[in-house]
C-alpha cells in the first residue's frame, strides 16, 4: 500500500475512535484503559516479523523480547479486563 | 499531419517484493485478515458502551488479536518457531498470573505498568526494524542504476527508504517516551516515589529544547541513517519521557495515565505505518483517540487545561496549605459511628460519595455492607462519582463493582447532582476537593470553576476524614467541614464504616 492509502485508513480510524470512545459509559473507563492497553499490543505483529526473520541475530533477539513484553500485555490486559467486566452487575430484583 | 506516438519510456523495473514505498506486497487475503482484526478491535471498544455488551466486546478483542497473530505467523518464513512459542508462553504466563492476582485498588499502577511494556515493545520493534530493514520490507527500492551501495555506509549496507525512516524515528521516540513516562507514573502510583511534583529549574526550556532536538534528529535521520542518529533519538526520548512526568503531582495522575494510554496507541500506529499493517494502524488510531478523549474528560472535570497539567507543579505546596493554614482551629462538629448510623437509618435517601481515600483504606466492601443494611431499613442508597475521583478514570466504579454494588445504583456527577437537595444524608468517604463549594463561589480558589458534587445541599453531610489537619490535593481548605449541617467522622475510613455497620446491625 502506498503512503496515502495508509494515511487514509489512519485518519478514518481516528474518527471512528473518536465516536466510539465518546459512546463508552464513564463507569467503564477503567476497563476501557485496560482493553485499549491489550489491543495496542497488536504491536506484537512487528515483534513477530522481527523474530521470525533469520540473518540478523541482534534484531531477532530484540524481536523475541518484544514478543514477551507484548504477550504479557495481551494476556494480562484481556484477562484483567474480563475480570473487571465480570464484576459489573445489575440490581437483583 | 500526425506525429508518430512518442516512444514509450522503458518499463521501470521494480523488484517484485516491494511496492512503491518498499512495503512487502501482501496477498489480498492477508490484507482482509488484518482488516477483520481491526474491525474486531472497534467492536471491542464499542461493547464498552454498556456493561451488558462489554464482555462480548472483550471477546471480540481477543479474536481480533488471535487473527492478527496467526496471520502474521502464516505469511512469514519462520526461522525458529519454538523460540516464538516460548516467548509467547513466557509473556502469557506472566500476564495471566498478574491479571489474576492484582488487587482492584492497584489497577492504576497495573495500567501504568502495561503502558510501559507497550512503549518498550515499540522501541524494541523499531530497533529490530532498523537493524534488519529487509525483514520489514522497508529497504529503499531503487529504479535507476544510481548504485545505492555507493551512498550507504558499510556498517549499514541496506538503505531504509526515507518515509520509513521518519515513521521509525517517530515510532521509537513515542515508544520511548511512553516507556519512561509510564515507569515514573507507575512508581508514583505505587508509592515507590513521592507523589509530590519534582520541579527542576528551567524545565520547560529543557523539555522544549529536547523535543526540538529529537524532531531535528528525526529529520536528519532521513539523510543519514548512521547508528548514532538512531540511538541518540532513542536515548533522548527516554530522557524526555522521564522529565515530562516527574513534575506532575499524584492527583493529576488520571490525566497522565490517560495521556500515556494515548501515546502507546500512537506508538503502535507509527509502527503500523512502517509495516504497512492495517490492523496496527486502526488499533493505534483507536487507542490514541481513546486516551486523548479520556485526558480531555479528566481535564474538563478539573477545569484545567491540558497544557497546565502537562506543565506540572500543581499541588506542589499542598502540605504548606497557604489558604488553610490558619483555618484548622475553626470550630467543627464531630460525630461518632453511632451518630452516623442513627442519622442514616432515619433517612429516606443517602448518597454516598467515594474518593481516593476509600481506595487507600480498601473500604469498598464495608461500604457495600453498610449500604445493604441501610436498604434493609428502607433507606434509598445511591452512589455519586466525580470523574476525577481516584487515580484513574472510572477507578471508583471498578472498586464499587468489585464490592458487588450494582452499577445501576452508581451515578455520574451530572446525573445525580440535582438530587442532593432532596437527600437527607450525603456520606463523603475519602473525597474532599470534589465536594468543595469554594469551586463555585470563591474566585481566588485554585479549584474555582471545577465542577463539584453539591453535597452541601443535603440536609446533613457526613465527612469521613482521617484528621482535621490535612487539606485536599489542591491544598485548599474545605469550607464544608465547618458548616452547621456537617458532621465530621474523624477516623480511618474502613474502621469508621465497619463501626457504623456494627451499630446498624
Amino acid at each position: 500500500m502506498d503512503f496515502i492509502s495508509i494515511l487514509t485508513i489512519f485518519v478514518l480510524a481516528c474518527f471512528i475512535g473518536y465516536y466510539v470512545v465518546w459512546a463508552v459509559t464513564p463507569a467503564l473507563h477503567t476497563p476501557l484503559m485496560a482493553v485499549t492497553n491489550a489491543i495496542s499490543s497488536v504491536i506484537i505483529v512487528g515483534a513477530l516479523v522481527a523474530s521470525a526473520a533469520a540473518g540478523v541475530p541482534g534484531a531477532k533477539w530484540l524481536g523475541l523480547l518484544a514478543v514477551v513484553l507484548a504477550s504479557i500485555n495481551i494476556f494480562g490486559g484481556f484477562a484483567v479486563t474480563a475480570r473487571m467486566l465480570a464484576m459489573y452487575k445489575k440490581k437483583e430484583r | 499531419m500526425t506525429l508518430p506516438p512518442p516512444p514509450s519510456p522503458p518499463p521501470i523495473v521494480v523488484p517484485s517484493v516491494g511496492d512503491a514505498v518498499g512495503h512487502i506486497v501482501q496477498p489480498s487475503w492477508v490484507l482482509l485478515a488484518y482488516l477483520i482484526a481491526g474491525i474486531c478491535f472497534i467492536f471491542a471498544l464499542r461493547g464498552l458502551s454498556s456493561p451488558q455488551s462489554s464482555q462480548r466486546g472483550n471477546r471480540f478483542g481477543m479474536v481480533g488479536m488471535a487473527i492478527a497473530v496467526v496471520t502474521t505467523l502464516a505469511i512469514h518464513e519462520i526461522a525458529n518457531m519454538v523460540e516464538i512459542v516460548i516467548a509467547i508462553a513466557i509473556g502469557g504466563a506472566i500476564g495471566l498470573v498478574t491479571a489474576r492476582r492484582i488487587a482492584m485498588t492497584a489497577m492504576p499502577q497495573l495500567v501504568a505498568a502495561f503502558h510501559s511494556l507497550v512503549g518498550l515493545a515499540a522501541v524494541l520493534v523499531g530497533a529490530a526494524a532498523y537493524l534488519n530493514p529487509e525483514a520489514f520490507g522497508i529497504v529503499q527500492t531503487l529504479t535507476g542504476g544510481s548504485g545505492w551501495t555507493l551512498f550507504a555506509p558499510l556498517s549499514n549496507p541496506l538503505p531504509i527508504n526515507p518515509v520509513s525512516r521518519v515513521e521509525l524515528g517517530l515510532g521509537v521516540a513515542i515508544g520511548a517516551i511512553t516507556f519512561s513516562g509510564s515507569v515514573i507514573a507507575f512508581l508514583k502510583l505505587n508509592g515507590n516515589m513521592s507523589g509530590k511534583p519534582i520541579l527542576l529549574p528551567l524545565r520547560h526550556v529543557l523539555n522544549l529544547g529536547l523535543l526540538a532536538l529529537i524532531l531535528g534528529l528525526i529529520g536528519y535521520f532521513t539523510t543519514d541513517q548512521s547508528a548514532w542518529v538512531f540511538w541518540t533519538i532513542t536515548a533522548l526520548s527516554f530522557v524526555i519521557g522521564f522529565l515530562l512526568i516527574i513534575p506532575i503531582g499524584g492527583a493529576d495522575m488520571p490525566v497522565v495515565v490517560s495521556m500515556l494510554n494515548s501515546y502507546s496507541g500512537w506508538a503502535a500506529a507509527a509502527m503500523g505505518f512502517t509495516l504497512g499493517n492495517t490492523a496496527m494502524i486502526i488499533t493505534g488510531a483507536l487507542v490514541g483517540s481513546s486516551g486523548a478523549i479520556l485526558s480531555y474528560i479528566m481535564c474538563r472535570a478539573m477545569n484545567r487545561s491540558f497544557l497546565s497539567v502537562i506543565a506540572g507543579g500543581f499541588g506542589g505546596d499542598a502540605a504548606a496549605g497557604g489558604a488553610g493554614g490558619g483555618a484548622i482551629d475553626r470550630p467543627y462538629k464531630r460525630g461518632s459511628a453511632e451518630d452516623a448510623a442513627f442519622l442514616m437509618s432515619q433517612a429516606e435517601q443517602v448518597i454516598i460519595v467515594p474518593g481516593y481515600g476509600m481506595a487507600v483504606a480498601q473500604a469498598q466492601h464495608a461500604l457495600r455492607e453498610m449500604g445493604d443494611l441501610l436498604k434493609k431499613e428502607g433507606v434509598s442508597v445511591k452512589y455519586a462519582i466525580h470523574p476525577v475521583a481516584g487515580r484513574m478514570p472510572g477507578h471508583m466504579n471498578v472498586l464499587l463493582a468489585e464490592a458487588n454494588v450494582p452499577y445501576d445504583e452508581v451515578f455520574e456527577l451530572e446525573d445525580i447532582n440535582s438530587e442532593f437537595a432532596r437527600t437527607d444524608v450525603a456520606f463523603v468517604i475519602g473525597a474532599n476537593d470534589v465536594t468543595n463549594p469554594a469551586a463555585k463561589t470563591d474566585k481566588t480558589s485554585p479549584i474555582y470553576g471545577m465542577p463539584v458534587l453539591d453535597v452541601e445541599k443535603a440536609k446533613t453531610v457526613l465527612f469521613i476524614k482521617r484528621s482535621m489537619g490535612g487539606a485536599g490535593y489542591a491544598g485548599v481548605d474545605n469550607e464544608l467541614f465547618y458548616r452547621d449541617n456537617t458532621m465530621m467522622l474523624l477516623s480511618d475510613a474502613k474502621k469508621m464504616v465497619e463501626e457504623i455497620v456494627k451499630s446498624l446491625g
Side-chain angles (χ1 to χ4, degrees):
Chain A
M1 269 184 288
D2 59 300
F3 182 73
I4 290 299
S5 322
I6 297 178
L7 189 67
T8 308
I9 295 174
F10 176 70
V11 172
L12 291 180
C14 284
F15 277 95
I16 294 177
Y18 180 85
Y19 288 106
V20 168
V21 173
W22 272 115
V24 172
T25 163
L28 294 177
H29 276 163
T30 297
L32 172 68
M33 302 201 92
V35 83
T36 48
N37 225 314
I39 65 174
S40 61
S41 304
V42 72
I43 202 151
I44 196 173
V45 166
L48 290 171
V49 171
S51 43
V56 185
K60 190 189 82 175
W61 287 110
L62 289 178
L64 282 171
L65 184 55
V67 170
V68 174
L69 299 180
S71 302
I72 296 179
N73 240 330
I74 292 171
F75 286 86
F78 281 124
V80 88
T81 309
R83 200 180 133 199
M84 278 192 274
L85 293 177
M87 298 185 316
Y88 284 82
K89 291 190 193 80
K90 243 193 145 99
K91 211 183 300 189
E92 290 156 35
R93 293 180 203 276
Chain B
M1 194 179 107
T2 50
L3 285 166
S8 55
I12 295 169
V13 184
V14 179
S16 59
V17 291
D19 62 12
V21 193
H23 296 122
I24 294 169
V25 172
Q26 292 160 335
S28 41
W29 73 266
V30 172
L31 297 177
L32 201 62
Y34 283 136
L35 178 65
I36 292 173
I39 292 172
C40 285
F41 295 145
I42 295 174
F43 280 137
L45 300 197
R46 180 69 200 147
L48 291 171
S49 55
S50 90
Q52 288 104 316
S53 58
S54 60
Q55 285 174 292
R56 195 181 56 218
N58 197 36
R59 285 193 286 273
F60 265 114
M62 297 182 203
V63 170
M65 190 59 73
I67 294 175
V69 169
V70 170
T71 308
T72 309
L73 289 176
I75 56 166
H76 286 90
E77 235 172 89
I78 295 159
N80 191 340
M81 188 66 193
V82 179
E83 287 172 346
I84 292 179
V85 170
I86 291 176
I88 294 180
I90 294 174
I94 298 174
L96 285 177
V97 170
T98 314
R100 189 153 307 165
R101 292 214 181 138
I102 193 83
M104 283 298 147
T105 39
M107 203 50 69
Q109 293 92 299
L110 181 73
V111 167
F114 277 167
H115 286 156
S116 74
L117 297 183
V118 179
L120 191 56
V123 173
L124 295 175
V125 172
Y130 172 71
L131 296 174
N132 190 0
E134 215 178 353
F136 284 76
I138 51 173
V139 176
Q140 198 161 14
T141 49
L142 290 181
T143 53
S146 55
W148 46 260
T149 41
L150 286 176
F151 301 101
L154 275 176
S155 57
N156 243 325
L158 293 173
I160 301 169
N161 75 63
V163 178
S164 299
R165 288 189 209 181
V166 175
E167 294 160 359
L168 260 187
L170 284 176
V172 166
I174 302 171
I177 293 173
T178 311
F179 172 72
S180 53
S182 299
V183 168
I184 302 298
F186 171 83
L187 293 175
K188 288 194 172 192
L189 287 165
N190 205 30
N192 306 97
M193 198 173 150
S194 158
K196 282 206 187 120
I198 298 166
L199 302 176
L200 297 177
L202 288 177
R203 61 183 196 281
H204 298 315
V205 180
L206 189 66
N207 287 347
L208 287 176
L210 267 175
L211 192 65
L213 190 58
I214 292 170
L215 291 176
L217 277 172
I218 292 174
Y220 180 66
F221 191 48
T222 57
T223 58
D224 175 7
Q225 70 172 66
S226 314
W228 73 266
V229 185
F230 182 83
W231 296 113
T232 310
I233 293 173
T234 314
L236 289 180
S237 305
F238 278 126
V239 173
I240 200 172
F242 171 79
L243 290 176
L244 274 177
I245 308 302
I246 54 166
I248 303 181
D252 278 343
M253 279 302 146
V255 182
V256 169
V257 175
S258 315
M259 182 185 83
L260 292 167
N261 183 254
S262 180
Y263 287 0
S264 68
W266 304 131
M271 286 301 151
F273 271 91
T274 308
L275 283 165
N277 184 306
T278 35
M280 282 168 93
I281 291 169
I282 294 177
T283 315
L286 289 177
V287 178
S289 8
S290 164
I293 290 173
L294 288 177
S295 315
Y296 169 78
I297 294 176
M298 293 301 114
C299 286
R300 192 182 55 179
M302 295 193 289
N303 190 38
R304 303 188 46 210
S305 77
F306 185 68
L307 275 180
S308 86
V309 173
I310 296 311
F314 198 63
D317 31 23
I328 290 165
D329 300 328
R330 287 169 65 180
Y332 61 91
K333 266 198 256 177
R334 183 171 177 173
S336 67
E338 289 78 28
D339 301 335
F342 176 76
L343 270 170
M344 286 195 283
S345 60
Q346 298 302 307
E348 244 171 66
Q349 172 156 292
V350 172
I351 296 181
I352 299 172
V353 180
Y356 183 56
M358 179 193 80
V360 174
Q362 302 259 22
Q364 66 271 30
H365 298 281
L367 195 63
R368 199 257 312 149
E369 222 178 304
M370 184 186 95
D372 285 351
L373 288 170
L374 287 173
K375 276 191 265 176
K376 246 185 234 160
E377 307 250 344
V379 183
S380 146
V381 178
K382 289 177 178 172
Y383 296 80
I385 298 193
H386 192 278
V388 291
R391 284 293 186 261
M392 73 185 289
H395 193 184
M396 292 299 122
N397 303 76
V398 172
L399 294 181
L400 292 177
E402 185 199 12
N404 274 325
V405 173
Y407 61 79
D408 35 10
E409 288 177 8
V410 182
F411 296 87
E412 302 302 317
L413 176 119
E414 54 271 28
D415 298 328
I416 201 163
N417 236 0
S418 58
E419 281 203 34
F420 281 106
R422 286 180 274 125
T423 297
D424 305 290
V425 179
F427 185 82
V428 185
I429 170 166
N432 183 354
D433 292 327
V434 298
T435 64
N436 196 337
K440 289 180 277 189
T441 51
D442 180 4
K443 283 195 175 141
T444 60
S445 170
I447 59 169
Y448 179 72
M450 166 171 152
V452 288
L453 289 158
D454 298 332
V455 291
E456 80 278 4
K457 291 192 180 148
K459 275 194 206 106
T460 311
V461 183
L462 297 176
F463 244 105
I464 300 193
K465 207 168 174 301
R466 198 174 277 278
S467 69
M468 286 305 282
Y473 74 82
V476 198
D477 197 31
N478 196 338
E479 174 63 34
L480 216 48
F481 299 159
Y482 315 105
R483 294 216 176 160
D484 282 343
N485 65 337
T486 304
M487 186 190 277
M488 301 300 294
L489 306 171
L490 298 180
S491 164
D492 172 73
K494 190 175 171 189
K495 231 198 259 155
M496 177 54 77
V497 176
E498 279 168 352
E499 277 170 36
I500 295 174
V501 166
K502 240 183 262 163
S503 352
L504 279 172

